[in-house]
Amino acid sequence: MALRVMVGEAVAGVDARVVVERTPAGEVVDAHLDLSILPRLEPLLAGRPVEQVPPLVERLCGVCPAAHHLAGVAALEALAGVGPIPAEARRLRRLLHHGSVLTMHAHAFFAAGREQALALRRLGKAAMAAAGSPGHFPVSAVVGGVAGPLVADAAEGCVRDAPASLALARDLFDWALGAPSGRGAENLADGIGRGAGFGGFAGADVALVDGRGRLDPLGDRLRAVGPGGAVIVAGAAAGEWDRLIAEGRPGEAASRPRLLAGGAPGGHYRVGPTAQLRVAAPATPVAAELAAEWRRRGGGALAARAVMAAASVEAIAELADGGPGAGDLVAAGGASRPAEAAGAAGAAGAAGAAGAAGAAGRVGVGWVDGARGLLVHRYRVGGSGMVEEALVLTPTAQNEYWLSRLLVEALAAGAAGAAGAAGGPRGADLEGAIREADPCLPCVAAPAGRMGVVVETVLAGGE
Amino acid sequence: MCVAVPTRIVAIEPGPMPMARLEPGASPASCCLAYVPEAQVGDYVLVQHGFAVELLDPAAAALSLAAFAELGLAPGSAAP
């Protein structure tokens, strides 16, 4: 399918397409969400100056540009060997990221109350403005630091509004835990996503942590824990990426990445708020308290999002407080403008990075743990600073296997309980499964209970 | 990776669920502004499933459209 047609389908309002594989006797063998409308843009990035990649990618992804912005700049820094990032710059990047995360989590709670969700969204946007990115596309991060100081009046507004938003996040957490899941609920819109989560996932959970092992969305360490909580990867750096995770189907939207360290069947893993809370505790007190309750009550993804929303509110309040700091905004060897990164990558970091990457070309990896989970940018460049190979590994791709298990579980529950029309799966079961994994697809923008789900049945083992 | 092409609002029908009419040729032709109630005529929105999920000013929209054109993904541009 031509890439342009795929983009057209991706931006139109389309239903969720679930493909169910059944035996001739009707038994479900497998199920997956059709991600074929999601384009893999990496081939189009090859041959371009590497410093052009982050702004290109963030401007194509309208939903989470800040995550791509931060992951992309981190990858450029890895290529250039620039660092450590000054403390004040790290502060502002965190403020930007938490603002973006809160904005995205707010969207999940419109069913609970439009004004509550809008209030959280306003705080998220204000945090992004305080970090120097008032518009939709962020401009805060540059190679080695940030472009400008904290915006004082926006920051003051964040500090003022945070307590009310934290109370909202608590209320939304209670709401998210307060009712049974969508299966069996009479009011589909009220029930979907709330209550206890789905059954256990046989794969690993992956999230970023700080040096103390606490959740850190801009952490420099990746941690993976197995289904029983055993640590598979204690804390790996981004530079170890190629030894950590590999795509099972490179180039496909459903690329089935897997952990190379083992510890879970097939190396399957998931990312996002559910995984984050299973990997480590939030670093802020209210979120940590809610996370403990989430674990006790077996909460699902929606409640996990409320916990992480609370974590972002707390982080915003702390980061926005105290006015602009006095420290440097850009590390030595960094660039005040993104275009200058080409020079930095070509000169300051070339020798060391080339030595590390060997004859295959220099490689830089940057990552963030966003509202939907881990996002990775990996660039391999030639001596001229042109991209030879790019990887943009999204949370949606990393969660596709988990979603397939959720769909199979939902189908089994639907078959065991009340069936839909003609004995088929109930749409609410499948919508609940899809919302649990929260793929970045147009269908999730539909209000709860109104996601169109189209089911296609194929013969297992057939074409 | 999810992609979203900005579309300009040409008219708004106010109400509890405000609806926006989008620029000629846009698909869909309209969207609900429930998630971005601050949107105004002339703003650009990113639409998913009939809902505006993000709001862009004209400068940001121009950057986004330029990125699509740069990669040959804009409507009317040659297929890559």
Side-chain angles (χ1 to χ4, degrees):
Chain A
M1 183 186 294
L3 184 57
R4 191 152 55 85
V5 174
M6 292 168 67
V7 169
E9 287 202 16
V11 302
V14 296
D15 295 330
R17 295 182 200 158
V18 175
V19 179
V20 181
E21 297 177 47
R22 294 182 183 270
T23 65
E27 180 184 357
V28 173
V29 173
D30 204 354
H32 67 271
L33 186 68
D34 181 8
L35 298 185
S36 60
I37 65 167
L38 293 180
R40 289 298 296 261
L41 298 172
E42 293 97 320
L44 300 178
L45 302 174
R48 295 180 179 275
V50 69
E51 73 275 11
Q52 289 184 2
V53 173
L56 265 177
V57 174
E58 72 193 45
R59 290 165 191 171
L60 293 175
C61 176
V63 177
C64 50
H68 287 287
H69 177 70
L70 292 168
V73 169
L76 294 180
E77 288 163 346
L79 279 169
V82 171
I85 308 304
E88 184 65 6
R90 290 201 309 272
R91 172 196 183 194
L92 295 180
R93 288 188 182 187
R94 287 177 182 285
L95 188 58
L96 173 69
H97 186 57
H98 279 290
S100 169
V101 167
L102 183 61
T103 302
M104 292 183 65
H105 282 320
H107 195 90
F109 295 104
F110 274 89
R114 193 168 87 123
E115 292 309 314
Q116 293 95 316
L118 288 174
L120 290 182
R121 184 170 177 271
R122 279 194 297 272
L123 178 60
K125 293 290 187 181
M128 296 176 72
S133 292
H136 180 67
F137 294 117
V139 295
S140 302
V142 296
V143 172
V146 290
L150 181 78
V151 179
D153 54 354
E156 288 165 9
C158 291
V159 175
R160 181 188 64 236
D161 295 337
S165 290
L166 188 58
L168 278 178
R170 279 184 175 273
D171 289 344
L172 292 171
F173 173 74
D174 290 336
W175 174 84
L177 281 182
S181 72
R183 290 177 298 217
E186 290 187 8
N187 183 335
L188 294 179
D190 186 54
I192 284 182
R194 300 173 64 194
F198 282 70
F201 173 56
D205 292 296
V206 170
L208 296 185
V209 297
D210 63 16
R212 294 165 61 180
R214 301 174 306 176
L215 286 179
D216 183 353
L218 294 185
D220 58 2
R221 290 287 181 262
L222 181 148
R223 172 167 290 188
V225 300
V231 175
I232 299 170
V233 178
E240 301 175 62
W241 177 260
D242 291 346
R243 297 190 295 275
L244 278 175
I245 287 171
E247 292 183 292
R249 305 171 188 165
E252 294 189 22
S255 64
R256 294 281 168 101
R258 64 187 191 282
L259 275 170
L260 298 176
H268 298 298
Y269 69 95
R270 64 184 170 184
V271 297
T274 298
Q276 290 161 356
L277 294 183
R278 291 180 60 84
V279 165
T284 51
V286 172
E289 170 198 330
L290 297 179
E293 185 174 352
W294 178 85
R295 293 183 76 103
R296 275 196 306 272
R297 296 175 63 178
L302 188 60
R305 296 186 76 168
V307 176
M308 298 313 294
S312 284
V313 172
E314 292 182 281
I316 289 168
E318 180 180 341
L319 293 163
D321 197 17
D328 292 336
L329 298 181
V330 183
S336 61
R337 290 180 295 108
E340 293 169 359
R362 293 174 291 135
V363 174
V365 179
W367 59 27
V368 298
D369 211 346
R372 286 192 162 98
L374 183 68
L375 171 69
V376 180
H377 279 224
R378 176 190 183 277
Y379 311 145
R380 192 183 78 215
V381 298
S384 59
M386 309 298 270
V387 173
E388 292 180 344
E389 181 185 71
L391 169 70
V392 178
L393 188 60
T394 64
T396 299
Q398 293 171 88
N399 282 339
E400 185 270 334
Y401 177 79
W402 175 39
L403 176 51
S404 76
R405 301 304 93 203
L406 291 169
L407 290 169
V408 170
E409 183 180 341
L411 288 163
R426 294 197 327 159
D429 303 309
L430 298 178
E431 178 178 341
I434 293 168
R435 291 195 187 276
E436 188 77 1
D438 191 31
C440 190
L441 288 171
C443 62
V444 299
R450 296 182 57 187
M451 180 187 295
V453 180
V454 175
V455 177
E456 177 184 349
T457 300
V458 298
L459 193 61
E463 294 185 0
Chain B
M1 189 181 82
C2 193
V3 296
V5 181
T7 313
R8 185 167 50 89
I9 296 173
V10 297
I12 294 176
E13 298 170 19
M17 294 288 278
M19 295 295 295
R21 184 155 49 87
L22 302 174
E23 60 189 321
S27 176
S30 64
C31 68
C32 182
L33 298 178
Y35 299 148
V36 287
E38 69 273 26
Q40 300 186 8
V41 172
D43 285 338
Y44 286 75
V45 287
L46 302 178
V47 180
Q48 290 189 333
H49 213 283
F51 286 83
V53 295
E54 284 293 347
L55 188 65
L56 280 71
D57 60 34
L63 288 174
S64 176
L65 292 168
F68 280 99
E70 173 77 17
L71 295 182
L73 299 174
S77 64

